[in-house]
Amino acid sequence: MLKYLTDLIEIAKEQTKKRLAVAACQDEEVLRAVHEAAISGIVEPILIGDMDKTQMIARELGISIEAYEKIDVKELDKAAEIAVRHVSSDKADFIMKGLIDTSILLKEVLNKEYGLRTDSLLSHVMIYEVPSYHKFVFLTDGGMNLEPNLDDKVKIVKNATKVCKALGYDRIKVAAIAAKEKVNPKMIATVHADELKKMCNDGLFENGVIIDGPLALDLAVSKEAAKIKGYNSEVAGDADILLVPNIETGNGIGKSLTYFANSQSAGIIMGAKVPIVLVSRADSHEAKLYSIALGSMISELN
Amino acid sequence: MLKYLTDLIEIAKEQTKKRLAVAACQDEEVLRAVHEAAISGIVEPILIGDMDKTQMIARELGISIEAYEKIDVKELDKAAEIAVRHVSSDKADFIMKGLIDTSILLKEVLNKEYGLRTDSLLSHVMIYEVPSYHKFVFLTDGGMNLEPNLDDKVKIVKNATKVCKALGYDRIKVAAIAAKEKVNPKMIATVHADELKKMCNDGLFENGVIIDGPLALDLAVSKEAAKIKGYNSEVAGDADILLVPNIETGNGIGKSLTYFANSQSAGIIMGAKVPIVLVSRADSHEAKLYSIALGSMISELN
């Protein structure tokens, strides 16, 4: 089982090089990360955006983008459309967001004409390498879905388990997080968690996926806490995926991992036909590269 | 400024000894913590509960409870009532929950006849000593209020600032946590955070209290993240109190601090006339003692 995010880069290097369509590439941080991923042999960049600005940024960074495919387009929605069309016509394997509002990019991704839309829901999956935990934490969704309903959560879990599969997981332990273990109709998180567990027991999820909940975070990640509270399950203390009930919980746990627990991370948007890499300015340099490697590994499944 | 929870014990020791009414004291962990607090000179316990069981537990623990005031009562609601009445008749300074459902205890606390109820709202405040943060984190409310409305949040902030005051804070920086910094009508956390900031600017809170929000956790606790995102405020990167929008977020951040970031903690229920100590079985031995010391320090203000 993987434990370090640098492993993602090593694995991605060994795979076929993936073609990465960068939508609105005129961004220093994005260009730097894409260039590094290209040098590492992970991706072949397709730079789509304002080429004057992009060339200027490349010069300032002291990097050469000569070898990369380039499409000059100033309009942001057009850049997004071209990136998406590249995937649907099999000229690119996955997409990275550049200097463009997420909403503009996702509007094109969800456009039915271009064939990237699926029956699933777009959702954000983060992977954390947490020094104090014995394996990766997969967290979803602290970035996109505000307050998913039960049906949404089914799709969110399936998107996250796909990420685990791409990393070679056979057995995937999902903790449906709430504030308590007892089902309480006033706390929708507990009701949904209970439903998800039942659905999983009924075989609604893939083989190898096991869902437990409602679980407060302590029981999900600490065998010691589970033992003290007399809670026994295969997931307790050994969760892979933390499914959170709302965006604030996911965002709060995720940022606690980064800023309080010194974790490294990678993130990806799942639910479209191909993964979409979306990095934040405050992400570390490593996080951006890990996210591209992750996108590459998930594309390998397609 | 305090930085270590052991300081709470030192300060509590120097204050007048407080009388602690323990409701349903027949619990091994509670009895052990109360006894230790008594030995440290922080409290004079008033043990209220099933004395046969309590004496048996004391013998098993090898501790003597001879010197403590004891009231033998088997019924749990009666034990809670007696503890509450002890406070209203000035025979006790604060309360600790023993082997009794929180709801039973709080029902008595909120009973108008006994005079412990105030205009405020009961809310849970946790203090974390986080190795990777430069000062205490006060987190509220990850334990009691499910999804507080704006008025509730005003009261929750006031309860938390009282705890800070008890610890000697003059300037109290409150981050109203959300998933984003931009106000979005679809995300009530951002709307409330914005309102609270305005209320604070309008002087609705005490002198020395400064509220900023909406803030995602990274901006609240990391100056580096705030700098990268170009966010400038006195609170950013230096928050004392994290006000969370719902119980799952508070519970998730709090348990991340404990289980991923190796933090120590103390917790208390505020909003009644006196503080109420409520510890969880999974709390460390230290956490229980810190919580009693915290209750003692807050009682000092009364």
Side-chain angles (χ1 to χ4, degrees):
Chain A
M1 187 171 283
L2 303 178
K3 189 169 159 25
Y4 303 104
L5 287 167
T6 49
D7 293 341
L8 267 51
I9 294 174
E10 296 311 312
I11 294 170
K13 275 182 189 176
E14 285 166 26
Q15 296 175 342
T16 335
K17 208 182 273 189
K18 299 294 175 304
R19 299 158 302 170
L20 173 58
V22 185
C25 55
Q26 57 274 18
D27 178 89
E28 185 183 319
E29 286 295 315
V30 167
L31 205 59
R32 190 204 302 263
V34 169
H35 179 67
E36 190 163 343
I39 285 180
S40 304
I42 297 173
V43 297
E44 267 175 27
I46 303 159
L47 302 178
I48 303 161
D50 185 324
M51 276 311 131
D52 290 342
K53 287 186 184 165
T54 304
Q55 292 285 8
M56 204 175 69
I57 293 167
R59 274 194 301 275
E60 278 167 11
L61 289 173
I63 63 177
S64 165
I65 57 171
E66 273 318 298
Y68 307 152
E69 187 178 339
K70 290 179 277 291
I71 297 166
D72 186 28
V73 51
K74 302 273 186 288
E75 301 79 16
L76 295 176
D77 52 348
K78 197 70 194 163
E81 185 194 322
I82 293 172
V84 168
R85 282 184 184 273
H86 261 65
V87 172
S88 49
S89 60
D90 195 27
K91 288 189 271 184
D93 298 301
F94 67 117
I95 293 174
M96 181 165 185
K97 181 186 99 97
L99 197 68
I100 181 175
D101 275 359
T102 306
S103 56
I104 298 179
L105 175 57
L106 297 186
K107 194 180 154 206
E108 301 299 325
V109 169
L110 292 173
N111 187 319
K112 283 179 188 164
E113 270 183 50
Y114 307 148
L116 255 63
R117 191 171 188 146
T118 70
D119 288 341
S120 187
L121 176 78
L122 295 186
S123 64
H124 193 239
V125 183
M126 290 289 292
I127 309 183
Y128 292 90
E129 176 188 324
V130 187
S132 55
Y133 197 56
H134 57 287
K135 56 182 178 174
F136 285 148
V137 170
F138 296 75
L139 181 68
T140 192
D141 176 347
M144 282 201 73
N145 291 286
L146 307 188
E147 204 158 356
N149 62 31
L150 182 59
D151 185 45
D152 295 339
K153 284 177 183 171
V154 170
K155 290 169 177 167
I156 288 171
V157 169
K158 289 187 174 182
N159 283 343
T161 57
K162 245 180 229 170
V163 177
C164 293
K165 293 264 171 187
L167 269 64
Y169 284 56
D170 297 320
R171 192 98 182 130
I172 302 166
K173 302 179 183 178
V174 183
I177 297 295
K180 320 245 171 192
E181 282 74 43
K182 206 174 153 185
V183 177
N184 175 351
K186 286 183 190 160
M187 301 169 93
I188 192 71
T190 66
V191 176
H192 284 172
D194 189 51
E195 287 292 330
L196 287 165
K197 180 169 67 178
K198 285 175 187 158
M199 286 174 174
C200 188
N201 290 342
D202 290 346
L204 192 88
F205 292 85
E206 269 187 280
N207 264 342
V209 175
I210 168 166
I211 303 181
D212 195 16
L215 284 175
L217 185 60
D218 52 343
L219 296 200
V221 301
S222 163
K223 282 198 193 300
E224 185 65 23
K227 196 179 158 193
I228 292 172
K229 290 192 179 166
Y231 192 94
N232 205 353
S233 92
E234 193 184 333
V235 175
D238 196 39
D240 296 300
I241 296 173
L242 305 177
L243 171 75
V244 294
N246 54 54
I247 192 168
E248 290 87 7
T249 304
N251 208 271
I253 293 176
K255 283 169 175 165
S256 294
L257 288 172
T258 302
Y259 293 94
F260 290 133
N262 302 311
S263 306
Q264 291 286 339
S265 63
I268 202 95
I269 294 180
M270 296 293 291
K273 217 174 142 195
V274 298
I276 299 160
V277 179
L278 183 156
V279 295
S280 150
R281 262 182 305 158
D283 282 346
S284 73
H285 181 63
E286 290 82 8
K288 288 165 186 149
L289 190 57
Y290 296 148
S291 298
I292 296 175
L294 178 61
S296 165
M297 285 178 70
I298 296 165
S299 310
E300 183 82 3
L301 292 186
N302 287 345
Chain B
M1 186 171 284
L2 303 178
K3 190 169 159 25
Y4 302 104
L5 287 167
T6 50
D7 294 341
L8 267 51
I9 295 174
E10 296 312 311
I11 294 171
K13 275 182 186 174
E14 285 167 24
Q15 296 175 343
T16 337
K17 210 182 272 191
K18 301 293 175 305
R19 299 158 302 171
L20 173 58
V22 185
C25 55
Q26 57 274 17
D27 178 88
E28 182 182 320
E29 287 295 315
V30 167
L31 205 60
R32 189 204 304 262
V34 169
H35 179 67
E36 190 163 343
I39 284 180
S40 305
I42 296 174
V43 298
E44 268 175 27
I46 303 159
L47 301 178
I48 304 161
D50 186 324
M51 277 312 131
D52 290 341
K53 287 187 185 165
T54 304
Q55 292 285 10
M56 203 175 69
I57 293 168
R59 274 195 300 276
E60 279 168 12
L61 289 173
I63 63 178
S64 165
I65 56 170
E66 273 318 298
Y68 307 153
E69 188 178 337
K70 290 180 277 292
I71 297 165
D72 187 26
V73 51
K74 302 273 185 290
E75 300 80 16
L76 295 175
D77 53 348
K78 197 73 193 160
E81 185 193 322
I82 293 171
V84 168
R85 281 184 185 277
H86 261 65
V87 171
S88 49
S89 60
D90 194 28
K91 288 190 270 183
D93 298 300
F94 68 117
I95 294 174
M96 183 164 183
K97 180 186 99 97
L99 197 68
I100 180 176
D101 274 358
T102 306
S103 57
I104 297 180
L105 175 57
L106 297 185
K107 195 181 154 204
E108 302 299 324
V109 169
L110 292 174
N111 186 320
K112 282 178 189 164
E113 270 183 47
Y114 308 148
L116 255 63
R117 191 172 187 145
T118 69
D119 288 341
S120 187
L121 176 77
L122 294 187
S123 64
H124 194 239
V125 183
M126 289 291 292
I127 309 183
Y128 291 90
E129 175 188 324
V130 187
S132 55
Y133 197 55
H134 57 288
K135 55 182 178 177
F136 284 148
V137 170
F138 296 75
L139 181 68
T140 190
D141 176 347
M144 283 201 73
N145 290 285
L146 307 188
E147 205 158 353
N149 63 30
L150 183 58
D151 185 45
D152 294 339
K153 284 178 183 171
V154 170
K155 290 169 176 168
I156 288 170
V157 169
K158 290 186 174 183
N159 283 343
T161 57
K162 245 180 226 168
V163 177
C164 292
K165 293 264 172 191
L167 269 63
Y169 284 57
D170 298 320
R171 191 95 182 131
I172 302 165
K173 302 180 183 177
V174 183
I177 297 296
K180 319 246 169 190
E181 282 74 44
K182 206 174 152 185
V183 177
N184 175 350
K186 286 184 191 159
M187 300 169 94
I188 193 73
T190 65
V191 176
H192 285 172
D194 189 52
E195 286 292 329
L196 288 164
K197 179 168 69 176
K198 285 175 186 157
M199 287 173 173
C200 188
N201 291 342
D202 290 346
L204 192 88
F205 292 85
E206 271 187 280
N207 265 341
V209 176
I210 168 166
I211 302 181
D212 194 16
L215 284 175
L217 185 61
D218 53 342
L219 296 200
V221 301
S222 163
K223 282 198 194 297
E224 185 64 22
K227 196 177 157 193
I228 291 172
K229 290 193 178 166
Y231 193 93
N232 206 353
S233 92
E234 193 184 333
V235 175
D238 196 39
D240 296 301
I241 296 173
L242 305 177
L243 171 75
V244 294
N246 54 54
I247 192 168
E248 290 87 6
T249 303
N251 208 272
I253 293 175
K255 285 172 174 164
S256 293
L257 288 172
T258 302
Y259 293 93
F260 289 133
N262 302 310
S263 306
Q264 291 285 339
S265 62
I268 201 95
I269 294 180
M270 297 292 292
K273 219 175 140 196
V274 298
I276 299 159
V277 179
L278 183 155
V279 295
S280 149
R281 261 182 305 160
D283 283 344
S284 72
H285 182 63
E286 291 82 8
K288 287 166 186 149
L289 190 57
Y290 297 148
S291 298
I292 295 175
L294 178 62
S296 165
M297 286 179 70
I298 296 166
S299 311
E300 183 82 4
L301 293 185
N302 286 346

